[in-house]
């Protein structure tokens, strides 16, 4: 009987690029005539946003915008004022190979920013943005999946592995007419805004994903009463449908929103201050869908009739263990100089340098909580207190272990604070943590087999059966290979249902001639 070999292609998700790109940010800014001159800069911040990422003609192309915010004290009245600018940037990099169907994830942050006051009407701003890019491509690997004839015996290993990823991005706009809360003084100028978007639920249907969430808008503004800035918070609902070819309810998704632009236009009421405004948000939905698939890999092979030569390949297989979608709270006590702060105007936070590790049944998510406190000092002068504190959150997770990887996506959903002492502020931040937990395993698989028909095995033993005292835990495959017989024959002769022995005992080994 001739040897029949069957080959098939399996999909392996391979990280083909993992690197960091740098983008300088430079701005020589001249204050318009209608802006009050600068007495002191309280804060200069660069917030980068990615608007698109793609692979084209062997290049990684990234487009983004850097939002530059300057909070300062005016010379004329010593009140808080602000400047908001944006700088569009594009970055490209040649890739070693062409990846037409790669999934690109880009995580950006501001590395540093320096703001120099040239004079009362001019600022020189220098900074840098880093973009960590990860490209994952489905790679087809040809493996031997089946062999029949010429006495060939194969040992199949059942493996649960991650199938081909599905990914989609959708950019959309949301427009809302907003009203100030009851009793709040009217808006003269918008000083700052922070907008985050969080997912609350999603539903999978054939080729589509229905998303629901909300935008969390935090507004800092100057009012008719210019003694102190005012704040307002809004929740704006999100409802979107994203087309994803091939998706169904078997997939598990990690979905995040990114607010890439906010435009706020005050509505005129015939007075100096406005009690309503139009807000337009540009939001980017990022979706990644995964599901595991069962596959069989030939772990070992031999022939009862002929000597066999094999070649083996070592492949790295990813498996989706679980999807993390948790809420965590980070509390930190911020020390300030005694009697430094007379009152607090506002506190905003962001979370950077996130990382994760598994430890004793817990998923530990770490990072830096950057706290900015806008306040008034004892001399009634606006001040900004910036603190960076390490933050660690423990989440119960039973899917940890060796060779397990988790890249957290962290979004701030709320910030609150209270004065616990004359020199201490307790800041409470609620964070939403999501991401996929993967396990990576290396397997040696048989990739090819060669049999020399002229090199037949010589069976000197003329016995039909042999006795073998087996130990608990032994594999039937190893016993069959040792005696040059088949697994099916050993299991049939001994009425076995499992390919692993669970107790010591005597086995009858049929000898194949």
């Amino acid at each position: 009987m001739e040897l029949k070999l069957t080959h098939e292609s399996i999909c392996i998700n391979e990280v083909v690029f993992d690197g960091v790109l740098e983008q300088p940010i430079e701005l020589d800014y001249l204050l318009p005539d209608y802006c009050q001159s600068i007495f002191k800069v309280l804060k200069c911040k660069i917030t980068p946003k990615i608007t698109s990422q793609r692979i084209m003609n062997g290049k990684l192309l990234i487009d983004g915008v850097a939002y530059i915010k300057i909070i300062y004290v005016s010379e004329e009245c010593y009140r808080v004022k602000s400047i908001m600018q944006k700088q569009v940037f594009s970055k490209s990099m040649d890739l070693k190979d062409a990846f037409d169907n790669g999934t690109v994830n880009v995580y950006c942050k501001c590395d540093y920013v320096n703001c120099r006051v040239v004079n009362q009407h001019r600022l020189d701003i220098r900074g840098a943005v880093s973009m960590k890019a990860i490209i994952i491509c489905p790679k087809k690997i040809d493996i031997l999946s089946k062999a029949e004839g010429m006495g060939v015996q194969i040992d199949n290993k059942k493996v649960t592995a991650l199938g081909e990823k599905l990914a989609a991005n959708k950019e959309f706009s949301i427009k809302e007419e907003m009203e100030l809360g009851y009793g709040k003084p009217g808006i003269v100028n918008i000083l700052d805004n922070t907008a985050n978007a969080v997912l609350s639920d999603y539903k999978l249907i054939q080729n589509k994903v229905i998303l629901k969430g909300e935008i969390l808008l935090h507004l800092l503004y100057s009012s008719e009463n210019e003694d102190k800035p005012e704040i307002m918070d809004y929740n704006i609902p999100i409802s979107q449908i994203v087309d994803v070819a091939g998706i169904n309810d078997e997939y598990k998704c990690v979905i995040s929103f990114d607010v890439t632009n906010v435009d706020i236009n005050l509505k005129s009421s015939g007075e100096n201050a406005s009690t309503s405004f139009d807000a337009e948000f540009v939001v980017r939905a990022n979706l990644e869908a995964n599901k595991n698939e069962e596959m069989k890999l030939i772990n070992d092979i031999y022939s009862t009739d002929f000597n066999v030569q094999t070649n083996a390949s070592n492949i790295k297989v990813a498996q989706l263990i679980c999807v993390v979608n948790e809420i965590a709270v980070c509390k930190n006590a911020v020390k300030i100089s005694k009697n430094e702060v007379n009152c607090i105007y506002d506190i905003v936070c962001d979370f950077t340098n996130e990382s994760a590790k598994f430890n004793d049944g817990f998923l530990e998510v770490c990072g830096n909580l950057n706290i900015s406190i806008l306040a008034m000092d004892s001399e009634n002068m606006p001040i900004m207190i910036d603190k960076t504190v390490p933050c660690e959150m423990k989440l119960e997770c039973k899917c940890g272990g060796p060779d397990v990887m988790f890249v957290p996506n962290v979004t701030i959903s709320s910030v609150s604070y209270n004065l616990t002492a004359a020199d201490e502020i307790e800041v409470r931040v609620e964070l939403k943590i999501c991401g996929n937990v993967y396990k990576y395993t290396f397997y040696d698989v048989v990739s090819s087999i060669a049999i020399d028909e002229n090199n037949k095995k010589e069976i000197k033993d003329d016995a039909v059966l042999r006795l073998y005292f087996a130990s608990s835990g032994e594999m039937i495959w190893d016993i069959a290979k040792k005696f040059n017989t088949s697994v099916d024959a050993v299991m049939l002769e001994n009425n076995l249902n499992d390919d692993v022995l669970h107790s010591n005992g005597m086995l009858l080994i049929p000898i194949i001639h």
Side-chain angles (χ1 to χ4, degrees):
M1 181 179 179
E2 66 177 12
L3 180 65
K4 294 181 179 179
L5 301 178
T6 303
H7 291 80
E8 67 178 41
S9 292
I10 62 172
C11 177
I12 302 295
N13 291 285
E14 185 178 32
V15 177
V16 296
F17 179 79
D18 186 349
V20 177
L21 289 76
E22 301 287 342
Q23 173 65 42
I25 303 296
E26 298 180 355
L27 178 65
D28 185 6
Y29 184 75
L30 188 65
L31 257 69
D33 293 337
Y34 55 82
C35 288
Q36 295 185 4
S37 56
I38 300 168
F39 172 71
K40 180 176 67 172
V41 171
L42 297 177
K43 187 176 184 66
C44 180
K45 182 179 181 180
I46 295 176
T47 303
K49 298 287 186 179
I50 301 301
T51 55
S52 72
Q53 70 262 10
R54 60 201 182 280
I55 300 170
M56 185 180 294
N57 299 326
K59 290 179 179 289
L60 170 61
L61 304 175
I62 301 173
D63 297 320
V65 57
Y67 293 94
I68 305 166
K69 297 180 181 179
I70 302 103
I71 307 293
Y72 70 96
V73 178
S74 66
E75 188 177 41
E76 287 80 358
C77 58
Y78 301 112
R79 298 304 181 201
V80 178
K81 303 295 179 183
S82 71
I83 302 164
M84 297 186 190
Q85 293 290 301
K86 64 180 180 180
Q87 195 170 98
V88 177
F89 62 86
S90 295
K91 197 74 177 178
S92 67
M93 190 190 71
D94 291 322
L95 300 172
K96 291 182 180 179
D97 300 299
F99 309 113
D100 295 330
N101 55 346
T103 301
V104 184
N105 291 311
V106 180
Y107 310 92
C108 63
K109 65 174 183 175
C110 176
D111 290 329
Y112 74 90
V113 58
N114 293 321
C115 179
R116 184 172 65 91
V117 180
V118 179
N119 57 48
Q120 295 171 323
H121 296 276
R122 189 173 179 180
L123 296 171
D124 182 45
I125 299 166
R126 297 289 182 269
V129 169
S130 63
M131 295 161 282
K132 180 178 176 61
I134 301 174
I135 303 175
I136 300 176
C137 283
K139 182 180 179 182
K140 298 292 184 180
I141 297 178
D142 189 53
I143 63 167
L144 181 64
S145 60
K146 194 174 181 181
E148 295 178 297
M150 301 182 75
V152 168
Q153 309 293 315
I154 60 173
D155 180 27
N156 279 318
K157 180 184 287 293
K158 291 183 179 179
V159 173
T160 301
L162 187 67
E164 188 170 343
K165 287 176 177 287
L166 300 179
N169 304 107
K170 181 180 179 181
E171 189 173 272
F172 55 92
S173 297
I174 295 177
K175 297 180 180 180
E176 288 285 335
E177 182 179 333
M178 319 290 289
E179 297 282 344
L180 284 177
Y182 177 76
K184 296 290 287 187
I187 302 172
V188 175
N189 287 304
I190 302 294
L191 298 176
D192 195 8
N193 69 75
T194 304
N196 293 319
V198 294
L199 180 78
S200 58
D201 192 19
Y202 74 87
K203 182 179 180 181
L204 301 180
I205 56 178
Q206 195 69 34
N207 298 320
K208 295 182 185 296
V209 183
I210 302 172
L211 310 179
K212 291 189 179 297
E214 59 183 1
I215 298 170
L216 311 172
L217 174 64
H218 180 78
L219 212 61
L220 177 71
Y221 68 93
S222 61
S223 66
E224 299 165 296
N225 176 16
E226 287 206 356
D227 289 340
K228 69 181 186 70
E230 298 284 342
I231 60 172
M232 273 295 297
D233 290 292
Y234 300 89
N235 291 28
I236 299 99
I238 296 173
S239 181
Q240 285 289 315
I241 297 177
V242 180
D243 293 323
V244 186
I247 202 167
N248 54 44
D249 58 7
E250 296 178 358
Y251 282 84
K252 294 182 179 179
C253 296
V254 168
I255 302 164
S256 63
F257 290 121
D258 195 13
V259 182
T260 59
N261 190 51
V262 181
D263 282 329
I264 296 176
N265 296 307
L266 300 179
K267 300 185 78 172
S268 175
S269 59
E271 300 177 357
N272 293 331
S274 299
T275 57
S276 62
F277 58 91
D278 290 324
E280 182 175 1
F281 306 90
V282 179
V283 183
R284 195 161 183 257
N286 306 297
L287 183 148
E288 183 180 301
N290 297 283
K291 73 171 180 177
N292 289 325
E293 297 176 349
E294 297 294 328
M295 64 174 68
K296 287 185 178 180
L297 305 176
I298 295 183
N299 188 50
D300 197 5
I301 194 168
Y302 68 92
S303 170
T304 57
D305 298 336
F306 300 93
N307 292 315
V308 174
Q309 289 184 336
T310 62
N311 290 320
S313 300
N314 186 256
I315 62 174
K316 184 180 180 181
V317 175
Q319 180 185 358
L320 178 65
I321 302 298
C322 64
V323 175
V324 174
N325 193 5
E326 298 288 340
I327 298 292
V329 175
C330 183
K331 291 182 180 179
N332 276 278
V334 178
K335 290 287 185 179
I336 56 176
S337 301
K338 199 165 186 178
N339 299 322
E340 179 187 9
V341 174
N342 190 8
C343 73
I344 295 174
Y345 296 144
D346 192 21
I347 293 183
V348 294
C349 301
D350 62 20
F351 196 85
T352 57
N353 299 330
E354 51 263 54
S355 64
K357 62 181 179 180
F358 294 93
N359 189 14
D360 294 332
F362 286 94
L363 172 60
E364 297 179 357
V365 179
C366 307
N368 290 332
L369 186 64
N370 306 305
I371 304 170
S372 295
I373 304 170
L374 179 61
M376 182 174 68
D377 66 10
S378 56
E379 297 179 353
N380 296 329
M381 179 65 73
I383 59 172
M384 185 74 76
I385 302 170
D386 288 313
K387 300 283 186 180
T388 297
V389 294
C391 186
E392 182 178 295
M393 295 150 291
K394 283 189 174 183
L395 306 174
E396 281 194 32
C397 187
K398 297 179 181 179
C399 54
D403 303 317
V404 171
M405 186 188 77
F406 173 66
V407 178
N409 184 300
V410 181
T411 305
I412 292 178
S413 54
S414 71
V415 177
S416 59
Y417 65 92
N418 60 72
L419 292 170
T420 54
D423 59 347
E424 186 177 272
I425 303 171
E426 184 186 70
V427 180
R428 182 184 185 276
V429 180
E430 187 179 88
L431 304 128
K432 185 164 186 180
I433 303 168
C434 64
N436 291 319
V437 179
Y438 299 110
K439 181 178 181 179
Y440 291 91
T441 307
F442 285 92
Y443 293 100
D444 288 319
V445 299
V446 176
S447 55
S448 65
I449 177 175
I451 293 180
D452 184 359
E453 297 184 40
N454 298 319
N455 189 9
K456 192 168 185 176
K457 285 184 177 179
E458 293 185 12
I459 310 298
K460 297 179 180 179
D461 193 344
D462 58 357
V464 176
L465 288 173
R466 293 187 65 86
L467 295 177
Y468 175 70
F469 187 81
S471 300
S472 176
E474 278 195 85
M475 303 287 295
I476 301 300
W477 171 266
D478 295 329
I479 297 170
K481 186 176 181 181
K482 178 180 180 179
F483 288 96
N484 196 52
T485 187
S486 70
V487 171
D488 290 342
V490 175
M491 295 186 70
L492 181 63
E493 188 70 36
N494 295 276
N495 294 319
L496 299 174
N497 296 317
D498 199 346
D499 58 0
V500 180
L501 294 174
H502 299 289
S503 61
N504 300 336
M506 194 70 69
L507 292 181
L508 296 174
I509 310 298
I511 303 301
I512 296 177
H513 292 280

